[in-house]
Amino acid sequence: MSETHSSDPVSNPPSDPVPDSPDAAPQRARRRPADLARGTEIIREHLKTLPQTPGVYRMLAGDGAVLYVGKARNLKRRVTNYTQVAKLPVRLQRMVSETETMEFVNTHTEVEALLLESNLIKRLMPRYNVLLRDDKTFPHIMITKDHDYPQLTKHRGARGRDADYFGPFASAGAVNRTITALQRAFLLRNCADTVFAARSRPCLQYQIKRCTAPCVGRVTPAEYQAQVGLARAFLSGKSRDIQTEFVAKMTEASDAMDFEAAARYRDRIRALTAIQAHQDINVEGVVEDADVVAAHAEGGVTCVQVFFFRGGRNYGNRAYFPSHDKAAETEEVLAAFIAQFYENKAAPPLVLVSHALPELDLLTEALSLRAGHKVELTEPKRGEKRRIVEHALTNAREGHGRRLAESSSQARLLEGVAGVFGLDSPPERVEVYDNSHIQGAHAIGAMIVAGPEGFIKNAYRKFNIRSEAAAGDDFAMMREVLTRRFGRALKEDPERTLGTWPDLVLIDGGVGQLNVALEVFAELGIDDVTLVGIAKGPDRDAGREHFLMENRPPFQMEMRDPVLYFLQRLRDEAHRFAIGTHRAKRTKAISKSPIDEIAGIGPSRKKALLHHFGSGAAVARAGLADLESVEGINRTVAKKIYDHFHPDG
């Protein structure tokens, strides 16, 4: 996209703040009329130089935080609206009063402006926009095309390999179930190419009839490619044709008294049926690839359900709860959601929605431009497609109800926490800290976060313990973690306006860990955050924990107290996150090769060395002449490798 810049370029935006929403953020002081008048005057000053062209505008607060990102067909006309404060809702009046400056980007078309707007919203997370906070990369099924015997596997992320990709699937579990069934039906390998090349006999997958062992020549390339073709056809929506073909072959084998072959086809038919068993609604009205996006809003909370259909089959669904102002209309929220949802993924040819969207033609054109093919964005009024949308709406209503019920329950539990620990009000943010290591090796500190909506997983943090002296010393590890966490918080958010400061900190540990935390807070001058230690009870029994606080004797809670269960759940989540992070670090260290430590040895040379010698240890033992014989390793590189492993010559 070609752009001209009338202010700061997008490539150099202000430092990205940690966002909050108007409803989730701490209550700010009520803006005086003078603030509103001042913000209006700032906007008027920018109007003097604004062109009447399409573009994107950003409203910034005094500390550089991005308040709002918007797009316009006519920048001057659109921004002028913000100077007519009497016509603005309270939310936008508040935004105008906080505005200290504005930045603009000119675009060639309004479609380009819409694409840029959704990109900036996802990157900058402005406080007053509708925000899709929990978007993730969806898993796909990948069948490779760059090998004589293609691999069937799960894939996430960029599509850098020459392969066919089928999806998206709503969850990794759905992908794993489908891959298992496809292996049973089409007997395709799922092993990595390196494993495939190193096999000398069939693996367990062959023994349990999920692979034809192409690695050792048990199937010809032509036979294997035929099975790959069937798998591709099945994933492309031709499942009925393939099942009909398998039924015919099963009948033919049975008539020929070849009952073993007939049983194999029977098992393959069952595997294909197992995939379809997870498709819980009839989708006869959708024969092409399509997404169904439905929204239900009530009480200032919106649940958006997205269903994925590929080849007429249901690949699952996922619920989203975008952050937005309580006064926002459902149609406005849904349109903003769709623009951000497809910002990093291509929309299918058909997207069915539950509401009539504002600027539908513009959004349709933007999705088509981004996807590289025509996208139809429509709200069906009747027929089979409307029935599918109604099914998605039902799921959105139920998801909305569950979220409100969970929020209500969570709010009562947080009120109980406030009562137990003597807080003035229920905590908006609770942080829990734990450490994990094995005799000091691969030491990790972990922080999990919870609030009125439950666990805030995108706020979790891990801390690789940097001090060698601290590794293995639980007290020193806790000191390092807390010093780094709150030292950075004091630097980045000293005024505590970004919603990243906790009201309550729980430490998994006894008196020693609590004293360390109190010392760190005293050194940093933090005296308004409540600290609580959770010490395991006798024999480490759950329910007999002691709670430790400054200037208060240790105490226990009633065994069946719901607040106790809630605190145990927080502690257990911190423990799970710490252990999982530690194991991942340990696994990575185990798989690390000594070749990785040699400067100038990239993936290609590493692969060549390992293929030639078989292991990193064998490379370390190799002589100069042996190293030079490896493809891609010249004398200079061979000398560098040899010297690395033989520093004394």
Side-chain angles (χ1 to χ4, degrees):
M1 180 178 63
S2 175
E3 304 169 7
T4 59
H5 306 268
S6 58
S7 184
D8 285 357
V10 173
S11 57
N12 293 294
S15 57
D16 295 356
V18 179
D20 58 355
S21 68
D23 303 315
Q27 291 295 321
R28 301 173 184 270
R30 186 176 297 277
R31 294 286 168 174
R32 300 183 301 273
D35 296 321
L36 187 56
R38 182 170 177 273
T40 305
E41 188 58 34
I42 289 171
I43 295 173
R44 283 201 180 98
E45 286 296 318
H46 284 287
L47 285 174
K48 296 177 181 178
T49 57
L50 271 185
Q52 297 189 26
T53 60
V56 172
Y57 58 94
R58 286 180 282 176
M59 293 180 162
L60 278 70
D63 59 358
V66 181
L67 299 172
Y68 185 79
V69 173
K71 59 92 182 140
R73 179 185 303 172
N74 184 312
L75 274 173
K76 189 164 189 173
R77 189 181 306 161
R78 180 72 182 90
V79 175
T80 299
N81 293 337
Y82 292 105
T83 64
Q84 302 169 3
V85 292
K87 299 180 181 180
L88 296 177
V90 174
R91 174 177 68 98
L92 295 184
Q93 289 183 9
R94 187 166 66 245
M95 180 182 73
V96 169
S97 69
E98 294 182 34
T99 300
E100 293 290 338
T101 186
M102 295 185 70
E103 296 176 346
F104 305 90
V105 177
N106 298 332
T107 61
H108 291 122
T109 65
E110 190 180 6
V111 172
E112 288 184 359
L114 177 60
L115 294 174
L116 179 59
E117 177 198 39
S118 59
N119 179 283
L120 290 176
I121 289 173
K122 293 195 71 173
R123 185 156 62 87
L124 301 177
M125 305 293 280
R127 189 180 306 140
Y128 287 95
N129 284 94
V130 175
L131 300 178
L132 174 57
R133 295 178 181 272
D134 55 349
D135 190 19
K136 298 177 181 177
T137 301
F138 290 95
H140 288 68
I141 287 178
M142 178 178 74
I143 299 180
T144 59
K145 299 166 68 175
D146 55 1
H147 197 283
D148 291 339
Y149 297 97
Q151 173 194 18
L152 172 73
T153 187
K154 179 172 63 179
H155 176 80
R156 283 186 189 266
R159 302 184 181 186
R161 190 170 179 183
D162 185 16
D164 289 322
Y165 298 89
F166 302 92
F169 288 79
S171 67
V175 174
N176 292 336
R177 287 193 302 269
T178 303
I179 287 177
T180 298
L182 289 173
Q183 283 183 276
R184 290 172 176 163
F186 303 112
L187 309 178
L188 303 182
R189 72 179 181 94
N190 66 346
C191 59
D193 291 348
T194 52
V195 175
F196 179 91
R199 295 298 305 181
S200 59
R201 59 180 181 176
C203 67
L204 181 62
Q205 295 292 318
Y206 174 77
Q207 305 297 335
I208 61 176
K209 296 181 175 60
R210 293 189 187 178
C211 181
T212 49
C215 53
V216 292
R218 298 292 177 92
V219 61
T220 67
E223 292 170 336
Y224 190 87
Q225 287 290 349
Q227 293 302 110
V228 170
L230 290 175
R232 288 195 176 106
F234 181 85
L235 290 169
S236 299
K238 300 178 181 177
S239 55
R240 290 186 178 179
D241 295 342
I242 293 170
Q243 282 189 298
T244 300
E245 180 181 338
F246 281 3
V247 169
K249 290 184 177 180
M250 180 181 68
T251 304
E252 182 181 336
S254 178
D255 292 342
M257 301 296 181
D258 188 353
F259 298 116
E260 186 175 347
R264 287 198 297 269
Y265 280 111
R266 178 203 61 200
D267 294 341
R268 295 169 76 175
I269 293 169
R270 287 178 177 173
L272 297 181
T273 304
I275 300 175
Q276 296 167 330
H278 290 282
Q279 299 160 13
D280 55 356
I281 67 172
N282 179 12
V283 292
E284 292 180 356
V286 179
V287 296
E288 66 268 64
D289 294 350
D291 288 348
V292 181
V293 187
H296 177 77
E298 190 176 338
V301 177
T302 301
C303 175
V304 180
Q305 283 277 353
V306 183
F307 278 77
F308 306 99
F309 297 96
R310 297 298 180 266
R313 297 197 310 279
N314 182 4
Y315 277 10
N317 64 294
R318 183 174 290 178
Y320 293 88
F321 295 87
S323 173
H324 61 84
D325 186 83
K326 290 183 178 180
E329 298 292 334
T330 305
E331 293 81 1
E332 174 192 350
V333 174
L334 187 58
F337 171 89
I338 290 173
Q340 293 178 50
F341 183 76
Y342 291 110
E343 190 274 329
N344 61 351
K345 60 182 72 68
L350 177 64
V351 179
L352 304 177
V353 296
S354 59
H355 293 71
L357 302 182
E359 299 182 315
L360 178 65
D361 293 341
L362 176 65
L363 187 54
T364 300
E365 187 178 351
L367 294 184
S368 301
L369 182 63
R370 184 178 287 147
H373 58 74
K374 183 180 179 182
V375 175
E376 180 185 358
L377 186 64
T378 181
E379 179 204 5
K381 298 294 186 182
R382 61 183 64 86
E384 189 68 22
K385 292 179 180 178
R386 184 63 203 178
R387 190 184 72 81
I388 296 170
V389 171
E390 289 293 341
H391 179 84
L393 267 173
T394 299
N395 279 267
R397 280 191 291 269
E398 292 175 353
H400 181 276
R402 285 192 296 271
R403 171 57 69 93
L404 289 185
E406 290 169 0
S407 298
S408 175
S409 174
Q410 188 88 350
R412 289 195 298 270
L413 290 171
L414 289 173
E415 289 176 1
V417 169
V420 168
F421 298 135
L423 305 179
D424 295 334
S425 60
E428 291 290 322
R429 180 180 173 108
V430 181
E431 294 183 359
V432 191
Y433 293 84
D434 194 11
N435 299 323
S436 182
H437 63 94
I438 295 179
Q439 296 181 341
H442 316 303
I444 283 287
M447 174 190 87
I448 67 108
V449 183
E453 301 297 326
F455 292 117
I456 309 173
K457 295 197 174 183
N458 60 359
Y460 286 16
R461 294 293 180 267
K462 64 179 180 180
F463 300 84
N464 290 308
I465 301 302
R466 297 169 180 170
S467 171
E468 294 184 7
D473 183 339
D474 286 338
F475 300 154
M477 289 171 63
M478 187 62 68
R479 177 182 295 278
E480 179 179 328
V481 168
L482 293 176
T483 301
R484 286 166 55 187
R485 158 67 177 114
F486 288 97
R488 183 172 181 177
L490 285 169
K491 180 180 178 181
E492 295 183 349
D493 186 20
E495 301 300 323
R496 309 190 185 189
T497 59
L498 300 179
T500 60
W501 276 81
D503 306 299
L504 173 66
V505 169
L506 302 178
I507 305 295
D508 185 12
V511 175
Q513 281 90 343
L514 178 64
N515 286 337
V516 166
L518 290 169
E519 290 171 7
V520 171
F521 276 29
E523 292 167 3
L524 296 175
I526 301 171
D527 56 8
D528 56 350
V529 175
T530 302
L531 274 168
V532 178
I534 305 179
K536 296 178 177 66
D539 302 320
R540 307 175 74 85
D541 286 348
R544 302 179 68 185
E545 292 87 353
H546 286 79
F547 295 90
L548 312 169
M549 300 179 68
E550 187 180 21
N551 300 324
R552 182 174 173 180
F555 62 94
Q556 290 181 281
M557 298 174 63
E558 292 292 332
M559 288 282 288
R560 298 184 182 277
D561 191 331
V563 177
L564 174 61
Y565 290 140
F566 175 65
L567 294 170
Q568 288 172 347
R569 191 155 57 106
L570 294 181
R571 189 266 319 276
D572 293 343
E573 172 68 2
H575 190 61
R576 179 202 66 78
F577 183 59
I579 288 289
T581 306
H582 163 76
R583 286 175 177 166
K585 184 177 181 181
R586 189 177 68 202
T587 300
K588 185 177 180 180
I590 290 172
S591 62
K592 189 175 180 181
S593 168
I595 304 173
D596 295 331
E597 301 173 5
I598 308 173
I601 302 299
S604 298
R605 284 174 172 164
K606 177 183 175 182
K607 183 177 180 180
L609 288 165
L610 291 177
H611 278 184
H612 186 88
F613 292 104
S615 69
V619 174
R621 294 193 300 267
L624 260 176
D626 295 329
L627 291 168
E628 288 181 47
S629 66
V630 178
E631 183 180 354
I633 305 296
N634 58 32
R635 182 171 182 80
T636 303
V637 176
K639 186 70 166 61
K640 180 187 293 187
I641 298 170
Y642 184 84
D643 290 345
H644 176 82
F645 292 113
H646 304 85
D648 299 329

